[in-house]
Amino acid sequence: MSYQRIPLDAFAVTFGQTTELSSVTLGGKIVNVSDEFFAAAFHLLLVEPAPSLKGQFGPNGALYSAWESRRHNPTFDWCIIRLGTTGTIVGFDIDTSHFNGNEAPEVSVDALLAPDSDSDSDPDLTTATWTEILPKVPLGPSSQHLFKIPDTTHFNYVKLNMYPDGGIARFRVYGHVAPVQPADDAVPFDLAHVFAGGRVVYTSDQHFGVGSNLILPGRGKDMGDGWETKRSRQKGHKDWAIIQLGAAGRLEVAEIDTAHFKGNFPESCELHGCYMAGGDVPQSDSKQWVPILSRVKLGPHRRHCFQLETNPEDVFSHVKVTIYPDGGIKRVKIIGTRGMAGPGAAAVVSREGLVDTEHVSAGDAGRIDHGVTKAKVIPVLPLTPEAFAPYGQVIQAYGDHAAAPPGTKITPANGGTASKFHKLALLHSSYPEDAGATSGLSVYRCQPVAVANGRVRLSVLERHPYTNQAFVPMGGGGVEGDEAIREPGRRYLVVVALNGRDDGPDLKSVRAFVASGGQGVVYETGVWHQPMTVLDKEMDFTCVETQIGNGERADCEVVEVEVEIELEIAK
């Protein structure tokens, strides 16, 4: 097997677009080892560089963040590693940091493709037939050694052999993931996910955290396993990361997760997409990038879900995530379905699906009617203050005060037994002075809506032209004899639309959210919204509103939606 030594300064060029298949963040693990007397083999796969533990000793001798075996092995020591996912292998990083005089003098690497097992335990591979993919190579003391090999076939286990014994601090296997995707093209999945074959191919900056972290599974453990750029000092600065999707597809929803980024999350972000048949990537400022999510605010330490501004026929192969002005993001998910573009297509996108273009709105008769015959499906996404900002405010408390939206005033209250989140929304009323409108509290007892095949039909929208309106869940009762609901529902739908050019709801701006029983909402004045719609069980809401109270349109305008729009609730 041939190989090539790679200088450290060529790492980005050689391995920059590969995946670390052995990473613990992907699920890589040590499954067997011949000897780990001085230092346990699990250290080999740790994400962080090996620290120096010089001068520290344990019962067996000097401490190392590494794998170290006993002396005087007559043959060799070995360590079997299950890769985080099956893939092809193109190279290795074998690091002997802090070992000087006790480093492994030589190593080789074998690989194996073992059948998938339903068992949680790994098979016994000590007697398996392995394939050598890196021949015996010499190592030096306290050094990082990079080796490139020809692209292999698929493997899911590797065996690191060291001759005859000694220590290795870190071991990383680089390659390309064997994509795992649904067999059915109609099934939505995360097209950007590393296991689906997604790759972060370019970033503007990755000073504190590499871009490839964006598409890893899970939400990580701290800021260190996200993408974070350095602080910008120039006005109008922005950073970006380009993701090559695991398959070209039709995109529906994006999730931007700022977990653990509390004082250094981006102020806002936007998404662009393109389709490149040959796999080439356009320059970051190329006009081939089409907007698929207009610039939106981000908040600290939470998932943000956004419905993308695309048409069902639009197909994309790459997504560009742009953050303003800088900061950190933990994960990016791009949910959609697999779909191929037509022959010879260079960019299969249209701009007609964007909210700020041609719209459909209600006429004077209060009914919506146009030539669309196919039902439009709106995904129901988790309610967050940032996604809901164009339509109103979200009313909720935060256990971690650092996760509250920037600018939220929080003070101790009730002698230190409570936290007060001040003025999360203000009341507004623009009724004429002689209208006789008054502000007050009302209670709505709402019965659950019928859900068919995970969907709810949107049939009515209403708005309040002179006031905003708040709904706050009241919870359940527990005092004998009270009239509160004993076991109320825990979630409800929040469906909104902006006003169109002819003073009716713009149906292309319809967005749907699911709110928990711990969240209230405030609909801004004039925002179209579905009447309160609860799921699963009945719920009580306190409504804070200003109204005349005589049923006039000044209090509430209602239109019927004749276009078939269905709200799809995630399972």
Side-chain angles (χ1 to χ4, degrees):
M1 188 81 182
S2 62
Y3 71 92
Q4 180 184 357
R5 285 185 179 267
I6 303 298
L8 295 183
D9 59 6
F11 176 88
V13 174
T14 308
F15 298 123
Q17 294 191 24
T18 65
T19 299
E20 187 184 334
L21 301 175
S22 55
S23 173
V24 291
T25 58
L26 296 188
K29 62 178 289 189
I30 308 297
V31 298
N32 206 345
V33 61
S34 61
D35 183 281
E36 50 185 350
F37 182 81
F38 288 113
F42 78 86
H43 293 102
L44 287 171
L45 307 184
L46 294 182
V47 174
E48 63 272 14
S52 172
L53 302 178
K54 187 176 181 178
Q56 301 183 48
F57 291 84
N60 290 354
L63 297 181
Y64 287 91
S65 176
W67 170 42
E68 186 183 7
S69 64
R70 293 177 175 87
R71 295 190 184 213
H72 312 309
N73 190 328
T75 54
F76 63 94
D77 281 310
W78 49 264
C79 178
I80 296 176
I81 299 160
R82 186 183 71 194
L83 302 179
T85 184
T86 300
T88 61
I89 298 172
V90 300
F92 311 93
D93 178 355
I94 305 175
D95 188 354
T96 59
S97 288
H98 313 302
F99 286 104
N100 191 342
N102 54 348
E103 73 279 359
E106 294 179 303
V107 296
S108 68
V109 180
D110 302 329
L112 176 73
L113 179 63
D116 291 332
S117 172
D118 295 333
S119 172
D120 293 334
S121 60
D122 291 277
D124 182 4
L125 302 176
T126 53
T127 60
T129 301
W130 293 81
T131 300
E132 182 180 81
I133 58 175
L134 179 69
K136 187 184 293 187
V137 294
L139 302 182
S142 197
S143 302
Q144 205 172 342
H145 308 80
L146 302 180
F147 300 98
K148 184 177 184 301
I149 63 172
D151 205 341
T152 69
T153 57
H154 289 167
F155 294 112
N156 55 1
Y157 288 86
V158 296
K159 184 168 73 165
L160 174 62
N161 307 302
M162 63 177 175
Y163 305 89
D165 49 50
I168 298 173
R170 296 290 186 268
F171 177 59
R172 310 194 191 282
V173 180
Y174 297 105
H176 302 294
V177 171
V180 178
Q181 301 175 3
D184 186 349
D185 286 350
V187 175
F189 67 103
D190 180 6
L191 290 127
H193 198 287
V194 62
F195 288 169
R199 292 192 295 152
V200 176
V201 291
Y202 294 109
T203 60
S204 61
D205 181 282
Q206 46 185 2
H207 188 81
F208 292 110
V210 297
S212 58
N213 287 335
L214 286 173
I215 57 176
L216 294 178
R219 301 188 72 198
K221 63 175 183 176
D222 53 37
M223 289 190 301
D225 54 15
W227 172 51
E228 185 180 3
T229 67
K230 59 178 174 287
R231 295 188 186 223
S232 61
R233 305 300 183 186
Q234 294 180 334
K235 187 176 181 180
H237 182 81
K238 59 185 177 182
D239 283 310
W240 47 266
I242 295 176
I243 301 170
Q244 180 176 314
L245 303 177
R250 298 175 174 86
L251 312 184
E252 302 169 3
V253 172
E255 180 182 303
I256 309 295
D257 190 354
T258 57
H260 304 115
F261 291 101
K262 300 177 182 180
N264 51 352
F265 60 95
E267 179 269 341
S268 58
C269 78
E270 63 185 1
L271 300 182
H272 291 77
C274 72
Y275 179 85
M276 301 301 291
D280 296 330
V281 181
Q283 295 293 320
S284 64
D285 57 354
S286 169
K287 292 183 179 179
Q288 291 175 285
W289 292 107
V290 174
I292 58 174
L293 178 66
S294 303
R295 187 170 172 178
V296 291
K297 293 279 189 181
L298 295 179
H301 191 50
R302 63 173 149 269
R303 291 185 173 103
H304 307 75
C305 293
F306 302 104
Q307 180 181 333
L308 295 177
E309 300 156 4
T310 59
N311 275 328
E313 66 270 19
D314 295 345
V315 176
F316 301 89
S317 61
H318 294 75
V319 170
K320 181 179 68 170
V321 181
T322 303
I323 59 174
Y324 295 88
D326 52 47
I329 292 176
K330 178 55 68 75
R331 300 286 186 263
V332 172
K333 294 182 179 180
I334 306 294
I335 309 301
T337 57
R338 194 168 48 241
M340 295 303 296
V348 185
V349 292
S350 67
R351 295 175 183 266
E352 296 177 359
L354 304 185
V355 170
D356 61 352
T357 61
E358 182 184 357
H359 68 286
V360 180
S361 57
D364 294 336
R367 302 176 71 87
I368 301 171
D369 189 11
H370 67 359
V372 173
T373 57
K374 184 178 180 181
K376 182 177 182 181
V377 178
I378 304 294
V380 177
L381 305 177
L383 181 68
T384 61
E386 293 75 25
F388 192 65
Y391 312 98
Q393 297 82 42
V394 176
I395 309 300
Q396 70 175 84
Y398 298 86
D400 182 347
H401 291 181
T408 302
K409 182 180 179 181
I410 309 172
T411 60
N414 298 352
T417 63
S419 295
K420 180 179 179 180
F421 298 81
H422 293 253
K423 297 183 178 179
L424 299 181
L426 300 177
L427 302 179
H428 299 289
S429 174
S430 58
Y431 280 95
E433 290 186 7
D434 59 355
T438 56
S439 300
L441 303 180
S442 304
V443 173
Y444 285 69
R445 174 159 290 184
C446 302
Q447 301 302 314
V449 68
V451 179
N453 298 319
R455 293 182 179 182
V456 173
R457 174 76 182 270
L458 175 61
S459 56
V460 172
L461 288 169
E462 65 178 52
R463 71 171 176 180
H464 308 278
Y466 292 104
T467 183
N468 60 356
Q469 187 182 40
F471 286 89
V472 182
M474 294 179 61
V479 178
E480 185 177 355
D482 72 2
E483 293 295 328
I485 302 169
R486 286 292 180 268
E487 296 183 0
R490 296 184 177 183
R491 57 182 188 150
Y492 61 100
L493 296 182
V494 178
V495 185
V496 287
L498 299 176
N499 204 40
R501 295 192 188 113
D502 58 358
D503 204 28
D506 178 356
L507 294 189
K508 289 190 176 179
S509 72
V510 172
R511 297 293 183 266
F513 306 93
V514 60
S516 75
Q519 294 176 303
V521 294
V522 179
Y523 298 110
E524 282 289 9
T525 303
V527 166
W528 295 95
H529 60 91
Q530 186 182 38
M532 295 307 294
T533 306
V534 305
L535 300 171
D536 310 320
K537 298 179 180 180
E538 62 182 344
M539 295 180 70
D540 286 343
F541 293 85
T542 295
C543 176
V544 184
E545 59 186 351
T546 302
Q547 61 176 189
I548 301 170
N550 60 3
E552 293 185 3
R553 286 188 64 179
D555 279 343
C556 182
E557 298 179 38
V558 180
V559 297
E560 297 179 23
V561 180
E562 289 194 341
V563 175
E564 191 173 351
I565 297 179
E566 294 183 333
L567 312 172
E568 187 167 55
I569 303 169
K571 295 179 181 179

